Amino acid sequence: MRHAALFVCSTAHLPVAERRHIDRLIAVASRGADGRVEVGHPDLVIEPYAYGFFVHTCVVGCGGEAPDISPEFWAILRAAFDRDASWVLFDRDEPAWSQLPTFADPDQPEEHQS
């Protein structure tokens, strides 16, 4: 048995283009033989979630930085990894945290942004 920690973060803390890119990858992802959605990101392990997505922090443990990940996204993954979290849940309904920058989506009404 192992212990795994989960960080929960608002999707508003990711740059809009990056958020949309991940949403597109999830939308076009195929299913494996086991029925699991296989999200095709070159650097990240992503699992869909009804209100966002999970991202595994293993990319941080590989060393260096991934070129397809923004500095803001990398900082969140690094902070989670440094605190022994295996996953970050980016949830659209999670309130934004004042300690992190937020990125408003101009295509979303104010009340639907998180």
Side-chain angles (χ1 to χ4, degrees):
M1 178 186 333
R2 67 184 175 97
H3 171 82
L6 171 70
F7 268 38
V8 181
C9 187
S10 173
T11 55
H13 296 301
L14 296 177
V16 174
E18 195 159 35
R19 211 181 315 161
R20 288 180 182 166
H21 176 66
I22 292 172
D23 285 340
R24 276 191 303 276
L25 289 175
I26 291 169
V28 300
S30 60
R31 291 193 177 268
D34 61 358
R36 201 168 138 239
V37 175
E38 297 175 346
V39 180
H41 192 284
D43 299 307
L44 300 174
V45 176
I46 299 171
E47 294 289 337
Y49 170 68
Y51 302 103
F53 45 88
F54 292 89
V55 178
H56 201 278
T57 60
C58 61
V59 68
V60 177
C62 295
E65 291 191 21
D68 291 336
I69 301 172
S70 69
E72 295 84 5
F73 197 170
W74 187 259
I76 293 167
L77 293 174
R78 163 67 66 203
F81 181 84
D82 289 347
R83 290 165 182 81
D84 295 324
S86 299
W87 293 91
V88 177
L89 168 56
F90 289 95
D91 189 327
R92 289 177 182 91
D93 293 335
E94 183 70 16
W97 187 41
S98 63
Q99 305 282 330
L100 293 173
T102 57
F103 303 91
D105 187 340
D107 294 338
Q108 295 295 318
E110 188 74 26
E111 66 272 7
H112 290 114
Q113 292 183 21
S114 45

